Amino acid sequence: MTPVERGAEDVYLSRMSTGASYNDQGGAEAAVEAGQESTPTSSGAGAGAGAGAAFGLFSTDFKKNEDLKEMLESNKESLKLEAMKRVVGLIAKGKNASELFPAVVKNVANKNIELKKLVYVYLVRYAEEQQDLALLSISTFQRALKDPNQFIRASALRVLSSIRVPIIVPIMMLAIKESAADMSPYVRKTSAHAIQKLYSLDPDQKEQLIEVIEKLLKDKSTLVAGSVVMAFEEVCPDRIDLIHKNYRKLCNLLVDVEEWGQVVIISMLTRYARTQFISPWKEGAMFDENNEKAFYDSDSEEKKDQMEAKTYIMDPDHRLLLRNTKPLLQSRNTAVVMSVAQLYWHLAPKHEVTIVTKSLVRLLRSHREVQYIVLQNIATMSIQRKGMFEPFMKSFYVRSTDSTHIKTLKLEILTNLANEANISTILREFQTYVKSQDKAFAAATIQAIGRCATNISEVTDTCLNGLVLLLSNRDETVVAESVVVIKKLLQTQPTQHSEIIKHMAKLFDNITVPMARASILWLMGEYCERVPKIAPDVLRKMAKTFTAEEDIVKLQIVNLAAKLYLTNSKQTKLLTQYILNLGKYDQNYDIRDRTRFIRQLIVPSEKSGALNKYARRILLAPKPAPVLESAFKDRDRYQLGTLSHSLNTKASGYQELSDWPAVAPDQSVRNVEVIEPVKEWAPLVGKAKQRKSDEKFYSDEEEEKEEEGSDSSGSEDSSSSSSSSSGEALCLFVCLKVYVFCLVTFILFRV
Amino acid sequence: MIHSLFLINHSGDIFLEKHWKSVIGRSVCDYFFEAKEKAVQPENVPPVLQTPHHYLISVYRDKLFFLSVVQTEVPPLFVIEFLHRVADTVQDYFGECSEGVIKDNVVTVYELLEEMLDNGFPLATESNVLKEMIRPPTILRSVVNTLTGGSNVGDTLPTGQLSSIPWRRAGVKYTNNEAYFDVIEEIDAILDKSGTTVFAEIQGVIEACVRLTGMPDLTLSFMNPRLLDDMSFHPCVRFKRWESERILSFIPPDGNFTLMTYHVSSQNVVALPVYVKQNISFLETGSCGRLDITIGPKQTMGKTVEGLTVTVHMPKTVLSANLTATQGNYTYNLATKVLVWDIGKLNPQKLPNLRGSLSLQAGAPRPEENPALDITLKIQQLAISGLKVSRLDMYGEKYKPFKGVKYLTKAGKFQVRT
């Protein structure tokens, strides 16, 4: 902006504040703009206030807030401020304050910064609902966009882009383009934020916005980096090619970027690296980073192949990323630590991943919610890599003050970590947990014991004995859970456990939890030949109580009856028929169906089909033992640290992490030519492009090169060439529209 | 990223809402209330919830829920960390984070939220930067403001945001230049029934209060940095320097901040300052129980143990406690079933003891598990790991600052199983 223009604007601004209505002096552009809108603004708002009063009648707290309008229109700044504070208070409470819109919007050009900020808050909240009135404020922001103070420019852009009114899209686009080339990195940062806002308002602008993103990605300021990568992730996450040239720069800037930006950049780079580098996880790979030279020198295909088969050589850029993210493990921001941890998990050679362990364990000292997320991720990691967390096993010991979901997660991890060496320690720890007053947790512990018992065969008997002891526990849920787990365990090795089954039969009368009763009945039926005397007796008792049982128990009674009938029909024939008759008239159709099915299957009659012969083989077939698995088994299909991982379903907008490419893509795309520092920003981009094309295109394609060169300079330089003048025209058109609208409102309310 | 924020109080009323993108109706919170109902305890509400169109990520702090609405994939920790930062900022500005305080300062809180996020992406979360833009209320300032019509919004613009050191504002001036460092260590431990240590470790934090003029460049070095196993730093600390020389070199933020947190390597045996002898038993008949707790000093390095309290979360069936304490006094909260014995200073000559009987609900079964004891204590002028600051130097400014280092040992999560 030239000094003349600036001066003109100052004059013009001061007039605005004193309420002067017309201005035909000063810089041409400013004058036109001012002439267009300063009159209607004041009058329009005044008229709007009348409208507000009319709407106000319908508001419920009309009486209480009646004075707000008057206060907003008064000349005293303190009154206005007071009123605005109350209005913001209303917004905060979620009450509707939209009828004050005209009165508020009038104050948008006020000098008082606090008042201004509050008006901005109001505008952003209600502009979407009152689109036409919101247009009144646009010109103020347009003017502020040219302010010499970078903060005023930035905040104007911030508010302008937050007003979700489709009609101003061209104005926003122009403003973003201009701000993206601003001298101040802070304004450029704001423009990166504005890109996302415009994109969500009007996705059709994508192509133009990608151009701006491309330009901003080249920015060397740490302030901009995080925000522009965020914009990249929202607008065009698939345009990975835009990153190539900036990859090394982003890696090097990373440590100095603000913490929130770090998180976004790291997760983007994780995705990038998975598409550009080859896997460092090859079996038996040797890790040798020092013979890069040899790699580059070996020209013949044969040699190269040999090399690859023998040693894996990490791409220096891959190494750069790992090296530059490592210090961030020491960040105080838990999100940053987690994102570095996931980067190492997904990208680093297996033996290097262990460095993240300590930092993750450190996060467990943080808030409850942080613990929850970190524990979830550790649970997933610990399934694949027990060794990583085993030395820190004690950090996952449960305290009675932990909340239930933290306790269950810790339990999950402890179970994952169990092996032959530490199982006795873990089981001793579990013994304490079983006694916990938190019954849901005690039940989870019993399941965990079951899992340990199946995974580690040495302790199966010990666990089983322990669980049998729990059967005499007074708490129902504990007993029920134990029965269920014992059932599963017996299934895995049913040979010599008739004692336990007998014991359970004895306890049967005292157990009331349906699931547990059903489990015992199933066990009886399955192993009825091992307890030939007890099983028929149990069936006799069940025949008596059949009608009073829960549905799942009834189904198992029918099962038991059928199995006994097949093995010991002498004793149980009548009982079975009685039970099948009861089942036939049960209220639940599931049970009726099952009864009918069983009857056809086992009771021989002339109608019964071929299946009858196989009844025994069907019902008493050896059944595969259930596999007790961690709930986190399949979680690793999601990238660690993501929302999808946490919920275990794909969240909207989740970007799949691609598999490593089999052959590394061209590394040279990341090479950046050294450019001597140039002061102006926009031309620099043009030059860079030209140089790039120099390299890429050979002399026989000069035409193309020139075309590209002129294209880029055209779109970059918004003040001169033809492409930008169309934008200017659009902008003028909208201004005109605003003007006409204001006139209409003005006339309407006068009438 | 973060779409909206709702603040919800203990009883489930939304008392503040803020939207950074288009407005989302309050009804989205119903899913949260449902989960809250199910969880019974507020701590048990899952921090991440899924609803048909949105994802709800919440934190529970100071009896308030900070509930944020998210529409697309975002690292959940990112949101959680930010929500805690909001709570920290409120705490920092108004001294406490409660419904009353937020309601009283609703405009300031709203202005803060406006500055902290832009379109759902964090913009200014550094307390120094925020304080430049929106001044925290003080009594003096509010009086002046009412008289002159001034405001809390700074008319200077935040310079910190532009510099490469966003945590420090430019032009800081003090008449008394001082830098204080508090080395605070917490002992986390689990002791089992017989008093043997199941698990013990030391976590430390260095809190700093630096009021220095200009742009001072400080270095802090330790006598025995080898003790430190794992640490996290304030962004101001130069990590390279620490890696190579084990020296903390930094340009400090102005005012109070956390310089670093650390974990003492687990090779070292943790010296527990106290031992606990306890005997809690519930009799099979007669619905009553006995309680006998004695605490004595173990390894206190010649310092006195202060602020000693014992907290017991009793089983639900315990109706009342009839106890006598040789030192301090005890309270038993009937509603929450929490017994607190406040001992105060530990006298090695005469060990404090609490004994007596507990009466249980008649007819209720005997509790299976004895309640665990949570112990808090403080030891002044001692870092239990033995960590010592050797020196603090200042470069870049000419004056001589006043320097001080304080040590404190506390019990962190110190639990005795019975």
Side-chain angles (χ1 to χ4, degrees):
Chain A
M1 188 180 289
T2 61
V4 179
E5 267 177 330
R6 218 174 265 174
E9 203 160 83
D10 282 349
V11 168
Y12 154 75
L13 272 174
S14 64
R15 274 173 199 230
M16 274 297 290
S17 60
T18 50
S21 57
Y22 254 87
N23 184 354
D24 49 7
Q25 306 170 321
E29 204 192 330
V32 171
E33 215 183 292
Q36 274 176 350
E37 54 76 53
S38 60
T39 339
T41 308
S42 51
S43 51
F55 294 138
L57 283 171
F58 301 104
S59 139
T60 42
D61 35 21
F62 168 66
K63 279 211 178 112
K64 227 166 115 191
N65 297 317
E66 189 185 18
D67 51 332
L68 280 177
K69 248 155 283 138
E70 284 160 32
M71 286 164 78
L72 282 169
E73 273 154 29
S74 77
N75 291 326
K76 275 194 190 161
E77 242 161 53
S78 55
L79 270 181
K80 283 185 179 178
L81 192 61
E82 178 64 36
M84 249 351 265
K85 281 186 173 171
R86 276 172 53 193
V87 171
V88 169
L90 286 177
I91 296 176
K93 276 184 215 131
K95 295 207 170 111
N96 188 12
S98 58
E99 72 262 34
L100 292 166
F101 202 94
V104 172
V105 82
K106 198 171 75 169
N107 294 311
V108 75
N110 199 293
K111 278 266 158 43
N112 183 322
I113 289 189
E114 183 166 24
L115 182 62
K116 204 184 224 172
K117 278 191 174 165
L118 294 175
V119 173
Y120 287 177
V121 169
Y122 183 91
L123 253 180
V124 172
R125 170 71 179 75
Y126 285 113
E128 209 173 356
E129 293 171 26
Q130 311 231 358
Q131 307 215 345
D132 289 341
L133 283 172
L135 294 180
L136 291 172
S137 59
I138 304 297
S139 53
T140 320
F141 299 125
Q142 278 184 300
R143 219 177 310 116
L145 280 172
K146 300 200 169 67
D147 197 279
N149 187 322
Q150 50 179 336
F151 287 101
I152 294 180
R153 288 202 301 277
S155 87
L157 180 61
R158 229 183 111 186
V159 183
L160 180 68
S161 53
S162 301
I163 295 176
R164 300 177 55 83
V165 178
I167 202 168
I168 61 162
V169 164
I171 298 184
M172 269 161 82
M173 195 67 224
L174 202 67
I176 289 173
K177 278 187 180 162
E178 269 175 26
S179 313
D182 202 285
M183 293 286 281
S184 151
Y186 185 64
V187 178
R188 297 202 297 273
K189 181 192 175 77
T190 321
S191 81
H193 287 204
I195 289 172
Q196 303 160 50
K197 299 182 207 168
L198 181 53
Y199 180 64
S200 70
L201 185 64
D202 183 8
D204 293 344
Q205 306 292 321
K206 189 171 175 178
E207 289 312 311
Q208 288 196 60
L209 287 175
I210 292 177
E211 275 173 34
V212 184
I213 290 175
E214 196 177 353
K215 201 155 78 178
L216 282 173
L217 275 171
K218 298 202 173 86
D219 205 308
K220 288 200 171 54
S221 163
T222 51
L223 268 179
V224 186
S227 303
V228 69
V229 171
M230 187 64 224
F232 170 83
E233 292 280 75
E234 292 240 318
V235 179
C236 51
D238 45 339
R239 287 290 303 276
I240 216 88
D241 56 297
L242 297 179
I243 304 300
H244 291 320
K245 294 272 172 223
N246 305 297
Y247 173 81
R248 286 175 196 161
K249 183 199 71 192
L250 283 174
C251 286
N252 288 324
L253 285 183
L254 195 57
V255 187
D256 296 317
V257 174
E258 36 85 40
E259 42 197 357
W260 310 106
Q262 285 172 348
V263 178
V264 177
I265 295 177
I266 290 172
S267 80
M268 189 274 290
L269 288 178
T270 311
R271 228 155 30 81
Y272 177 85
R274 271 307 258 283
T275 62
Q276 298 301 318
F277 307 125
I278 51 167
S279 167
W281 301 338
K282 286 215 177 97
E283 297 263 325
M286 280 160 60
F287 296 95
D288 193 354
E289 286 164 49
N290 295 330
N291 55 1
E292 280 160 31
K293 254 186 201 162
F295 182 81
Y296 289 123
D297 286 346
S298 64
D299 281 358
S300 67
E301 284 293 336
E302 260 185 38
K303 226 179 169 184
K304 205 170 162 184
D305 279 350
Q306 262 185 357
M307 291 290 289
E308 264 186 342
K310 269 185 193 164
T311 57
Y312 160 74
I313 297 142
M314 187 179 271
D315 189 311
D317 287 331
H318 191 170
R319 175 52 63 199
L320 176 78
L321 178 61
L322 292 177
R323 198 174 48 228
N324 282 357
T325 45
K326 194 181 160 196
L328 297 178
L329 282 173
Q330 259 64 51
S331 170
R332 63 168 172 173
N333 188 317
T334 57
V336 175
V337 178
M338 187 66 233
S339 67
V340 178
Q342 68 83 22
L343 182 132
Y344 263 79
W345 179 257
H346 291 294
L347 297 181
K350 295 281 186 203
H351 67 286
E352 282 177 48
V353 181
T354 33
I355 63 160
V356 307
T357 317
K358 256 187 212 171
S359 309
L360 283 179
V361 172
R362 184 185 69 229
L363 299 189
L364 297 181
R365 286 275 300 170
S366 191
H367 300 284
R368 186 180 58 89
E369 296 84 6
V370 176
Q371 285 181 36
Y372 175 73
I373 303 291
V374 173
L375 285 171
Q376 278 188 329
N377 284 293
I378 292 180
T380 306
M381 291 165 127
S382 62
I383 290 176
Q384 287 186 28
R385 304 279 307 270
K386 278 185 190 191
M388 256 177 92
F389 293 97
E390 214 205 311
F392 296 90
M393 196 176 77
K394 288 189 173 178
S395 305
F396 303 109
Y397 280 8
V398 173
R399 292 157 201 283
S400 57
T401 39
D402 286 335
S403 65
T404 309
H405 50 250
I406 302 271
K407 282 181 190 164
T408 34
L409 280 170
K410 284 186 172 173
L411 202 60
E412 178 73 41
I413 294 168
L414 283 175
T415 320
N416 289 342
L417 293 181
N419 58 24
E420 282 84 1
N422 60 23
I423 184 69
S424 57
T425 329
I426 289 183
L427 281 182
R428 208 175 313 132
E429 190 65 18
F430 281 177
Q431 277 171 17
T432 348
Y433 302 164
V434 168
K435 287 186 234 150
S436 164
Q437 290 175 38
D438 184 346
K439 288 305 162 202
F441 172 58
T445 310
I446 293 167
Q447 280 184 358
I449 294 175
R451 259 180 64 203
C452 288
T454 44
N455 295 341
I456 301 160
S457 51
E458 279 112 72
V459 292
T460 315
D461 288 339
T462 333
C463 291
L464 212 48
N465 291 337
L467 289 171
V468 171
L469 284 181
L470 285 177
L471 290 178
S472 14
N473 196 294
R474 252 174 294 114
D475 190 84
E476 237 171 49
T477 46
V478 171
V479 176
E481 205 65 45
S482 311
V483 169
V484 175
V485 172
I486 288 175
K487 183 197 108 184
K488 286 180 183 165
L489 282 182
L490 287 185
Q491 239 180 308
T492 56
Q493 34 168 241
T495 39
Q496 69 275 47
H497 293 302
S498 50
E499 280 307 310
I500 292 172
I501 300 176
K502 277 180 201 159
H503 184 73
M504 286 165 91
K506 269 184 220 156
L507 288 169
F508 188 72
D509 294 337
N510 301 325
I511 294 173
T512 52
V513 179
M515 190 61 207
R517 286 175 78 86
S519 294
I520 295 181
L521 287 173
W522 184 87
L523 273 177
M524 291 285 154
E526 193 63 25
Y527 306 114
C528 54
E529 278 159 300
R530 278 203 200 95
V531 281
K533 286 188 183 150
I534 296 168
D537 192 52
V538 173
L539 188 66
R540 180 187 59 80
K541 281 196 238 167
M542 293 323 294
K544 269 198 228 164
T545 57
F546 185 87
T547 44
E549 297 289 349
E550 289 277 333
D551 289 346
I552 46 167
V553 185
K554 282 180 182 169
L555 286 175
Q556 289 308 328
I557 296 173
V558 173
N559 268 353
L560 174 64
K563 284 172 184 168
L564 282 175
Y565 181 85
L566 289 175
T567 55
N568 186 3
S569 60
K570 217 194 269 173
Q571 274 186 304
T572 56
K573 194 173 178 188
L574 284 174
L575 275 173
T576 308
Q577 264 166 12
Y578 175 64
I579 286 169
L580 289 178
N581 280 335
L582 283 177
K584 194 174 171 186
Y585 299 108
D586 199 85
Q587 282 185 323
N588 186 302
Y589 51 77
D590 245 2
I591 292 164
R592 293 200 300 272
D593 278 356
R594 176 75 63 90
T595 320
R596 212 168 292 137
F597 163 68
I598 294 280
R599 188 189 288 276
Q600 288 303 317
L601 192 62
I602 61 169
V603 183
S605 65
E606 59 268 30
K607 266 191 281 173
S608 59
L611 271 179
N612 203 339
K613 273 185 268 174
Y614 302 105
R616 197 185 163 90
R617 273 163 78 184
I618 290 171
L619 283 173
L620 290 169
K623 296 164 185 79
V627 187
L628 300 175
E629 272 183 342
S630 162
F632 284 81
K633 186 113 210 300
D634 295 326
R635 289 257 180 132
D636 57 342
R637 69 193 139 157
Y638 297 112
Q639 191 177 350
L640 289 185
T642 58
L643 185 62
S644 306
H645 175 266
S646 185
L647 292 167
N648 202 17
T649 53
K650 198 169 171 178
S652 68
Y654 173 72
Q655 298 279 331
E656 206 79 49
L657 208 58
S658 70
D659 279 334
W660 298 100
V663 182
D666 187 14
Q667 310 182 339
S668 60
V669 289
R670 285 184 292 276
N671 291 344
V672 187
E673 311 78 32
V674 187
I675 307 162
E676 72 273 22
V678 189
K679 270 181 192 169
E680 273 291 309
W681 205 72
L684 180 140
V685 176
K687 261 189 201 171
K689 267 203 174 167
Q690 234 157 348
R691 286 206 181 195
K692 193 167 53 179
S693 58
D694 265 346
E695 266 196 4
K696 261 190 186 165
F697 303 111
Y698 300 103
S699 51
D700 55 325
E701 285 170 314
E702 243 170 10
E703 268 187 21
E704 219 172 322
K705 171 192 149 190
E706 266 190 26
E707 246 179 44
E708 196 184 292
S710 63
D711 253 332
S712 60
S713 73
S715 60
E716 241 95 75
D717 196 354
S718 52
S719 62
S720 64
S721 76
S722 61
S723 72
S724 64
S725 66
S726 71
E728 204 96 306
L730 254 177
C731 176
L732 265 177
F733 167 73
V734 176
C735 285
L736 208 70
K737 206 174 159 179
V738 171
Y739 173 65
V740 170
F741 168 77
C742 294
L743 264 182
V744 171
T745 7
F746 175 73
I747 295 164
L748 263 178
F749 285 108
R750 277 297 134 94
V751 177
Chain B
M1 291 193 126
I2 298 168
H3 210 112
S4 303
L5 173 73
F6 294 95
L7 296 193
I8 299 168
N9 68 12
H10 201 59
S11 52
D13 302 320
I14 304 168
F15 65 94
L16 189 133
E17 61 178 76
K18 167 98 186 115
H19 308 274
W20 283 275
K21 301 184 186 181
S22 48
V23 179
I24 291 179
R26 285 184 168 201
S27 54
V28 75
C29 297
D30 292 347
Y31 295 99
F32 173 77
F33 293 134
E34 210 172 282
K36 183 170 170 263
E37 200 84 345
K38 222 189 273 171
V40 190
Q41 296 282 318
E43 286 86 4
N44 285 343
V45 181
V48 184
L49 289 170
Q50 189 176 16
T51 77
H53 301 290
H54 304 95
Y55 305 98
L56 306 177
I57 301 182
S58 61
V59 305
Y60 180 68
R61 262 195 54 179
D62 305 310
K63 300 207 164 126
L64 297 178
F65 285 102
F66 292 72
L67 174 74
S68 68
V69 185
V70 178
Q71 262 182 328
T72 53
E73 172 66 49
V74 58
L77 267 188
F78 184 97
V79 182
I80 288 170
E81 178 80 24
F82 176 78
L83 293 176
H84 277 296
R85 213 54 83 78
V86 172
D88 290 340
T89 309
V90 172
Q91 171 95 33
D92 188 30
Y93 262 72
F94 312 113
E96 64 168 321
C97 181
S98 69
E99 189 188 355
V101 156
I102 293 175
K103 273 184 169 168
D104 289 346
N105 299 287
V106 67
V107 175
T108 315
V109 173
Y110 223 71
E111 283 167 344
L112 281 171
L113 289 175
E114 183 74 22
E115 294 298 339
M116 287 178 87
L117 278 187
D118 182 16
N119 195 38
F121 189 76
L123 192 64
T125 49
E126 209 52 67
S127 123
N128 261 275
V129 173
L130 285 172
K131 279 185 177 163
E132 248 181 296
M133 290 191 280
I134 300 149
R135 297 193 198 107
T138 58
I139 296 170
L140 181 69
R141 195 171 297 135
S142 55
V143 170
V144 171
N145 283 351
T146 29
L147 291 179
T148 61
S151 74
N152 279 330
V153 172
D155 36 15
T156 53
L157 293 149
T159 46
Q161 238 170 354
L162 291 178
S163 67
S164 55
I165 38 169
W167 54 84
R168 188 170 182 91
R169 60 194 168 95
V172 183
K173 261 205 176 118
Y174 288 104
T175 42
N176 294 324
N177 289 296
E178 42 196 20
Y180 298 108
F181 295 89
D182 292 358
V183 180
I184 302 164
E185 295 195 338
E186 291 191 358
I187 308 168
D188 286 358
I190 302 177
L191 305 185
D192 75 359
K193 219 172 207 169
S194 55
T196 41
T197 316
V198 177
F199 164 77
E201 62 174 15
I202 299 170
Q203 305 278 350
V205 54
I206 300 182
E207 300 279 0
C209 175
V210 176
R211 299 174 191 285
L212 297 173
T213 309
M215 274 286 167
D217 198 331
L218 303 180
T219 58
L220 185 92
S221 54
F222 298 102
M223 305 267 269
N224 38 9
R226 244 189 237 167
L227 281 172
L228 306 178
D229 183 33
D230 176 58
M231 46 263 139
S232 72
F233 300 113
H234 190 275
C236 68
V237 176
R238 296 182 182 100
F239 185 71
K240 292 236 166 79
R241 194 90 193 269
W242 171 259
E243 282 282 84
S244 56
E245 300 169 56
R246 299 272 140 179
I247 282 174
L248 293 176
S249 156
F250 55 97
I251 295 173
D254 186 39
N256 296 317
F257 65 102
T258 303
L259 182 63
M260 73 182 286
T261 61
Y262 59 88
H263 176 248
V264 175
S265 61
S266 38
Q267 277 86 22
N268 300 34
V269 179
V270 176
L272 294 180
V274 293
Y275 69 86
V276 181
K277 270 191 202 160
Q278 44 74 29
N279 182 20
I280 301 177
S281 58
F282 298 104
L283 301 180
E284 197 64 67
T285 51
S287 58
C288 67
R290 305 207 149 274
L291 179 144
D292 189 344
I293 306 172
T294 312
I295 295 190
K298 210 172 171 184
Q299 282 158 302
T300 57
M301 326 272 176
K303 307 274 200 267
T304 41
V305 179
E306 298 168 27
L308 195 59
T309 63
V310 178
T311 311
V312 191
H313 291 265
M314 288 291 181
K316 296 270 173 289
T317 46
V318 175
L319 283 182
S320 65
N322 185 14
L323 310 166
T324 43
T326 57
Q327 189 186 338
N329 40 26
Y330 77 94
T331 51
Y332 182 61
N333 187 325
L334 291 175
T336 56
K337 309 280 179 196
V338 176
L339 173 76
V340 181
W341 178 26
D342 189 350
I343 304 167
K345 250 184 209 168
L346 180 65
N347 182 359
Q349 268 76 50
K350 196 167 150 283
L351 299 180
N353 169 275
L354 179 74
R355 74 169 78 196
S357 63
L358 306 166
S359 66
L360 276 73
Q361 216 166 0
R366 187 171 69 102
E368 267 160 64
E369 190 199 30
N370 288 339
L373 317 179
D374 286 308
I375 292 171
T376 59
L377 55 87
K378 257 197 284 190
I379 306 171
Q380 304 278 2
Q381 290 311 321
L382 172 75
I384 197 95
S385 69
L387 186 77
K388 276 218 157 61
V389 173
S390 74
R391 57 184 298 145
L392 176 75
D393 298 305
M394 188 182 74
Y395 305 96
E397 296 287 336
K398 294 220 166 61
Y399 55 87
K400 272 219 169 255
F402 186 80
K403 301 176 278 194
V405 178
K406 224 168 69 179
Y407 298 93
L408 177 67
T409 296
K410 287 199 287 193
K413 295 171 180 166
F414 197 118
Q415 198 163 71
V416 183
R417 291 177 179 166
T418 59

